[in-house]
Amino acid sequence: MGSKICMNEVCRATTSSEWKKGWGLKSGGFATLCYNCGSAYENSVFCESFHREESGWRECRVCGKRIHCGCIASRFLHEYMDFGGVGCINCAKHMEIHLVQSTQIPGDAISNGTYVTNGIGDVHPIVVENRINDENFSMERLLQLTKTVGANEPGRSFHSQKRETVERNRQFQNRTQRLAESSVFIKTDNSRAKQGVKDVYETLAQPHLSISLSTPLGSNSSGLPFAAGIVEGSEQSKGSSDQGQRSRNIFPKPPVLGSEQNKGAVRIARPPAEGRGRNQLLPRYWPRITEQELQQLSGDLKSTIIPLFEKVLSASDAGRIGRLVLPKACAEAYFPPINQSEGIPIRIQDIKGNEWTFQFRFWPNNNSRMYVLEGVTPCIQSLQVQAGDTVTFSRRDPGGQLVIVVLNSLCIFHMLTSRIPKRPALPHSDSPGETSLSGHADNLPSNGGKTSDDSVQRLPTPILEKKKMKNIKNKRLLMHNDDAMELRITWEEAQELFRPSPTSKPSVVMIEDHAFEEFEEPPIFGKRTIFTSRISGEQEQMAQCDSCSKWRRLPVHALLSAKWTCSENIWDANRCSCSAPEDINPRDLDAFFRVNKDNKASKDGEPSGLDALATAAVLGDNMGDMGESSVGVTTRHPRHRPGCSCIVCIQPPSGKGKHQPTCKCNVCLTVRRRFKTLMMRKKKRQSEREAELLDQAKDKGPANVGLADEDIAGHALLRMIQTENAAGPSGNQLELAEANKGQLDLNCDPHHEDDMLEEAAGMSLTTLINAASLPLDMYFGSNGVGPGLLPQAADESDGYGEGGLVSGNVLQNKGEDR
DNA sequence: GGTCTGCATGCTCGC
DNA sequence: CGAGCATGCAGACCA
């Protein structure tokens, strides 16, 4: 790879040893990340969704807070600290706490080894101990520290220290303000400052393993309770030279928890006590269970537990396949020898006393073997284990029974409390980049001197999860469901912003007699715009200036960058300045967006490609009565431009004209089948809703008499919905279903297909088609917007909430129509 | 069409 | 550079 220089001008770390390949990019090679600061030096232009897709949210390893990462350079929640390294902008308090403490270290501490240097000449005060009162921390002290650090930074020639100081002070003010705004985190931090410092060091200190080794023991004998990390450091020294290279800077050295009471809480990776070839086990598989956890386990199982090895579960381990890949050396060392690929059944007990039978087998693999445990799904589910959790295989003595211990804190929690709490919704995701940096340094003080019982039970969920997150080594990560949801939303958002690359010319391919445009170049992100049609039939798009927020009419072919201002309006010389008046008069605009907002409100987050369907679904047949909205959105494929002749773009939302009702193609058949299913599902849901409402009404009893207007309206609305549904197979919806047979929208987002179809069922697609092609001006006119009245829906929306009211009115109108 | 199974592929990391 | 391992994938099997 050669010598590299970090692009980050604050970092500028050099030499290839500072770098490491980041996680694999499925669509872009590799990002090589600076070990010092995490910046990328190549492939640095990644889209937001990519990050979330591939690496999940960035999560602070200290406070667990996640941020939305916009680019690779800023994806870290960390920022550069005065004393070197990086700190979380959210929990910077931790850092400053330690930092201030460090300033209290006598000056000769440096010579005693209490300061370490990183590769760029920064001097890092080593964190001392865990006695600090957050409240004592003040801006003055930070400034004092800044001065101190500045004085200690002769090597920082690449940047103006003064400027940095000012900037950092500003950042700190921002941070403190953020902290003040977030009492949650302040509280968390405060509590953790005492009990959870282990977490700080567990995460931050790990790159210091080799420093621990290289730091003279004198530093430990300086009277300061250092020396943490040495436990593992000594072990790591033989296991990971790489670790040593990468760990020579940045973070404060972890503290040692010297008291007796802390010893049991130290998570130490130790070579297993027994087993064939145990010396060949990679340190990553060394069990890190704490003494206290071990004692707890032994107590619970009423026998001596000998930890053998552990494994951080990968996505495939914890996935539905039910195969857990065993490290070869571990399998050969601790499991019965097998000669047949089919393997043998093996019984393993879990901490709850359940006994599981897995198939222990191997596959031939590259002239070697790959050992797996098959049939682990029930166990995985029972223990609520997810990818990233650590599973420790232990042996129970006497008896030699294998025991599986999940070092997922929740499971320890289970063990300690003898009950299984529901796994909480995980608010954050795995973070491979982070873990790639984390190495094998989990074996640090685990709970700041509390008993494991204490710690586990007091640790807030984010910390529990954080402990797990750290363990994920795999770069190809699973996404928690929540993150998948986030990704999905991102996808939706992205769909709205996709633009074909301006340099790429699409090639048209024919599939089943339909023309599809294919772009060689991947889509780019552009500014979100709205497409409209004029009375003349001419199409145009509207974009809002990021500077003055005025809307401008633009030609349909205009491709806008993500950030766009009036000055870039090269298409209209009269509107190329923010001072120019808006293209639409405010009244029209207001009406335009009230309607649009209503529509959007009813389908929050819906991609624009589905907006028309959503709109139509909300407005229903009445849309025609209301004047055939042609507002904004079309069902065009977001990646395609107006004028695009591909099937996605030229066909009306229903696919009218492309697939006849009698069409028997696979797509049509599938859609019909799914539509039927969806209709049945919808009916069932509404029945349930109805029953629920009736129950509620019963519960309320006489109080029903005093139902609020909203309730009444809600009931009325529900009744109307029910009336519609009660039409049954011969009713409106199924009629529509029939009518819609063969009318496809290939724009559908599979994730929204259900909703879309459901909603599409409640409207006339013909109406929608017409609506989509009608010009905006006509819409304004026919809806009484502009010179006349605002749409009724918009007018009355204040009463019941925007989206709901539109629906209500529409449905009511529908009822009247019928 | 969905799931399971066995193997292949290729990335990662230790030597 | 090569072993290990995560995961992809194709074929088999099943409902």
Side-chain angles (χ1 to χ4, degrees):
Chain A
M1 199 182 298
S3 178
K4 299 287 191 300
I5 301 176
C6 175
M7 286 197 308
N8 187 315
E9 62 178 40
V10 179
C11 173
R12 289 295 184 202
T14 56
T15 83
S16 55
S17 67
E18 297 285 344
W19 302 80
K20 171 184 185 298
K21 277 190 173 180
W23 48 86
L25 309 183
K26 282 177 181 170
S27 58
F30 287 92
T32 303
L33 307 177
C34 172
Y35 245 105
N36 197 41
C37 70
S39 298
Y41 82 99
E42 63 182 15
N43 293 337
S44 56
V45 184
F46 295 133
C47 70
E48 200 170 285
S49 60
F50 164 78
H51 279 297
R52 282 193 258 174
E53 178 181 1
E54 290 292 331
S55 21
W57 296 80
R58 302 304 306 182
E59 177 195 3
C60 172
R61 292 185 289 176
V62 177
C63 67
K65 185 174 175 62
R66 297 172 303 142
I67 57 164
H68 179 293
C69 48
C71 67
I72 197 158
S74 66
R75 73 187 190 284
F76 279 78
L77 187 64
H78 301 126
E79 56 188 22
Y80 300 95
M81 307 305 292
D82 289 333
F83 53 92
V86 291
C88 168
I89 60 172
N90 182 64
C91 61
K93 205 163 186 177
H94 276 298
M95 307 300 290
E96 273 103 28
I97 290 164
H98 307 312
L99 192 127
V100 169
Q101 276 186 302
S102 301
T103 64
Q104 295 166 340
I105 301 171
D108 61 357
I110 296 177
S111 59
N112 284 341
T114 52
Y115 283 77
V116 294
T117 59
N118 68 7
I120 55 174
D122 286 353
V123 179
H124 306 299
I126 292 173
V127 178
V128 186
E129 59 183 73
N130 185 25
R131 284 183 286 105
I132 198 69
N133 182 354
D134 290 9
E135 316 307 327
N136 294 337
F137 183 62
S138 65
M139 190 63 190
E140 288 71 28
R141 302 186 77 176
L142 175 71
L143 292 173
Q144 179 194 355
L145 168 81
T146 309
K147 287 176 191 166
T148 307
V149 172
N152 286 330
E153 292 183 327
R156 304 193 65 156
S157 57
F158 53 82
H159 235 56
S160 162
Q161 290 185 20
K162 188 178 176 182
R163 200 171 66 227
E164 279 187 23
T165 303
V166 171
E167 175 62 14
R168 285 168 178 166
N169 288 346
R170 188 187 57 77
Q171 290 174 353
F172 174 68
Q173 283 177 316
N174 291 340
R175 283 199 297 266
T176 47
Q177 188 177 350
R178 280 195 295 272
L179 285 166
E181 288 166 356
S182 172
S183 59
V184 172
F185 280 101
I186 288 175
K187 191 176 178 183
T188 306
D189 286 350
N190 284 341
S191 59
R192 219 176 295 155
K194 294 185 177 65
Q195 74 157 38
V197 151
K198 156 256 164 185
D199 291 295
V200 177
Y201 299 127
E202 190 172 58
T203 52
L204 294 187
Q206 98 228 341
H208 271 280
L209 294 176
S210 67
I211 293 176
S212 301
L213 290 173
S214 58
T215 304
L217 286 179
S219 63
N220 303 326
S221 59
S222 65
L224 296 168
F226 292 158
I230 290 180
V231 178
E232 183 177 44
S234 60
E235 296 163 351
Q236 288 288 359
S237 63
K238 58 185 173 187
S240 176
S241 58
D242 177 30
Q243 194 84 19
Q245 285 179 338
R246 74 176 80 154
S247 62
R248 63 190 183 90
N249 45 26
I250 311 179
F251 295 114
K253 188 178 174 182
V256 71
L257 301 177
S259 68
E260 282 300 315
Q261 93 180 80
N262 290 333
K263 284 183 179 171
V266 177
R267 200 173 282 287
I268 304 171
R270 51 194 140 199
E274 57 173 78
R276 293 177 293 278
R278 64 179 185 270
N279 293 331
Q280 281 81 53
L281 293 194
L282 293 172
R284 86 170 75 136
Y285 301 125
W286 294 356
R288 288 155 213 269
I289 192 166
T290 68
E291 284 296 333
Q292 288 190 348
E293 287 164 350
L294 207 54
Q295 286 170 14
Q296 185 78 35
L297 266 175
S298 299
D300 278 19
L301 295 174
K302 296 184 174 60
S303 40
T304 303
I305 300 299
I306 302 165
L308 302 175
F309 67 94
E310 73 172 33
K311 187 187 181 211
V312 178
L313 294 189
S314 69
S316 51
D317 288 335
R320 285 190 297 178
I321 300 177
R323 299 193 293 210
L324 194 160
V325 176
L326 290 171
K328 186 183 174 204
C330 302
E332 292 179 344
Y334 301 114
F335 284 68
I338 49 177
N339 295 319
Q340 302 296 320
S341 170
E342 294 73 28
I344 56 171
I346 193 166
R347 291 195 300 179
I348 301 183
Q349 207 175 24
D350 69 19
I351 54 171
K352 293 189 282 185
N354 302 323
E355 194 167 87
W356 305 92
T357 302
F358 307 130
Q359 186 75 13
F360 171 57
R361 58 172 307 184
F362 69 87
W363 307 319
N365 192 280
N366 295 335
N367 296 324
S368 179
R369 287 178 172 187
M370 193 167 169
Y371 290 92
V372 290
L373 281 183
E374 291 186 338
V376 299
T377 301
C379 178
I380 294 288
Q381 287 174 349
S382 166
L383 297 175
Q384 295 183 302
V385 185
Q386 292 183 342
D389 289 342
T390 301
V391 169
T392 302
F393 289 87
S394 308
R395 176 165 294 139
R396 184 179 175 179
D397 274 344
Q401 164 83 50
L402 281 169
V403 178
I404 186 170
V405 180
V406 180
L407 273 182
N408 156 338
S409 300
L410 285 170
C411 289
I412 295 173
F413 187 90
H414 299 175
M415 178 176 70
L416 297 173
T417 58
S418 299
R419 67 187 175 84
I420 305 173
K422 189 176 186 300
R423 182 183 284 277
L426 302 178
H428 39 248
S429 74
D430 309 323
S431 175
E434 189 175 292
T435 51
S436 69
L437 292 170
S438 64
H440 312 293
D442 294 339
N443 50 344
L444 291 165
S446 63
N447 56 11
K450 304 295 176 186
T451 65
S452 79
D453 188 286
D454 276 344
S455 64
V456 169
Q457 300 209 28
R458 289 183 194 174
L459 284 177
T461 302
I463 303 180
L464 301 182
E465 289 303 324
K466 179 163 51 92
K467 288 174 73 176
K468 187 184 72 177
M469 297 311 162
K470 283 193 294 111
N471 287 333
I472 299 179
K473 303 165 69 61
N474 182 17
K475 310 302 183 297
R476 313 173 200 176
L477 283 174
L478 98 160
M479 281 182 295
H480 289 304
N481 289 338
D482 306 62
D483 298 306
M485 174 66 75
E486 286 165 352
L487 171 62
R488 191 166 68 83
I489 291 167
T490 302
W491 182 89
E492 291 164 356
E493 292 163 358
Q495 291 297 304
E496 290 187 287
L497 302 176
F498 274 154
R499 304 282 184 273
S501 169
T503 59
S504 69
K505 291 273 180 282
S507 57
V508 179
V509 295
M510 299 297 290
I511 300 174
E512 287 190 9
D513 295 326
H514 300 305
F516 288 85
E517 280 187 340
E518 277 189 349
F519 291 83
E520 288 292 321
E521 298 287 326
I524 60 169
F525 279 143
K527 185 173 181 60
R528 185 177 175 184
T529 57
I530 295 174
F531 293 98
T532 63
S533 299
R534 310 196 71 144
I535 294 176
S536 60
E538 180 192 359
Q539 289 193 314
E540 64 185 6
Q541 65 176 322
M542 299 190 65
Q544 189 175 26
C545 171
D546 282 322
S547 175
C548 65
S549 300
K550 287 175 183 164
W551 286 86
R552 303 292 183 201
R553 291 184 201 274
L554 305 173
V556 288
H557 59 78
L559 281 171
L560 307 186
S561 59
K563 202 155 179 63
W564 182 86
T565 60
C566 295
S567 60
E568 297 168 70
N569 185 1
I570 57 174
W571 301 276
D572 187 348
N574 297 326
R575 301 277 198 271
C576 63
S577 162
C578 290
S579 56
E582 199 149 40
D583 290 22
I584 304 178
N585 75 59
R587 199 171 172 181
D588 288 359
L589 201 65
D590 179 56
F592 175 87
F593 284 106
R594 286 184 74 169
V595 174
N596 219 19
K597 187 180 166 191
D598 291 343
N599 298 343
K600 291 296 278 183
S602 65
K603 288 296 296 176
D604 194 21
E606 201 76 7
S608 65
L610 298 176
D611 279 353
L613 276 177
T615 302
V618 171
L619 298 178
D621 283 341
N622 195 58
M623 191 163 66
D625 303 334
M626 291 176 64
E628 307 284 322
S629 169
S630 69
V631 175
V633 289
T634 72
T635 56
R636 285 183 192 288
H637 192 293
R639 285 176 59 175
H640 299 184
R641 308 300 300 168
C644 169
S645 59
C646 80
I647 184 174
V648 178
C649 295
I650 62 172
Q651 74 173 351
S654 64
K656 186 179 179 182
K658 283 293 175 183
H659 296 260
Q660 298 302 317
T662 53
C663 177
K664 293 277 196 303
C665 78
N666 283 338
V667 182
C668 291
L669 291 173
T670 304
V671 169
R672 280 174 207 145
R673 191 171 56 248
R674 294 202 62 180
F675 190 81
K676 259 184 189 172
T677 312
L678 288 165
M679 291 310 298
M680 291 176 67
R681 214 183 290 166
K682 180 180 179 183
K683 198 172 176 187
K684 187 183 167 194
R685 270 207 299 273
Q686 283 172 344
S687 303
E688 287 168 357
R689 231 178 292 156
E690 180 187 5
E692 209 172 282
L693 218 85
L694 284 174
D695 287 347
Q696 284 175 5
K698 277 181 193 170
D699 290 345
K700 285 187 180 177
N704 255 345
V705 177
L707 274 179
D709 289 347
E710 287 85 351
D711 288 344
I712 294 167
H715 283 240
L717 175 59
L718 183 75
R719 273 196 298 277
M720 282 183 279
I721 294 169
Q722 289 160 359
T723 306
E724 284 186 5
N725 287 307
S730 60
N732 179 49
Q733 289 183 341
L734 285 191
E735 283 173 12
L736 281 168
E738 291 302 312
N740 294 341
K741 275 183 182 177
Q743 297 185 341
L744 307 178
D745 182 8
L746 298 181
N747 284 321
C748 67
D749 169 358
H751 296 291
H752 287 282
E753 198 174 11
D754 293 5
D755 292 340
M756 187 186 76
L757 285 171
E758 280 181 33
E759 292 177 8
M763 53 166 283
S764 155
L765 291 176
T766 310
T767 306
L768 173 61
I769 297 159
N770 295 334
S773 59
L774 273 175
L776 174 63
D777 296 345
M778 186 180 292
Y779 166 78
F780 285 146
S782 57
N783 280 295
V785 179
L789 298 167
L790 288 173
Q792 186 187 7
D795 266 343
E796 297 177 7
S797 64
D798 295 336
Y800 298 104
E802 295 158 340
L805 181 83
V806 173
S807 306
N809 279 336
V810 170
L811 287 166
Q812 196 163 18
N813 288 335
K814 285 168 96 171
E816 288 166 359
D817 289 345
R818 289 184 193 102

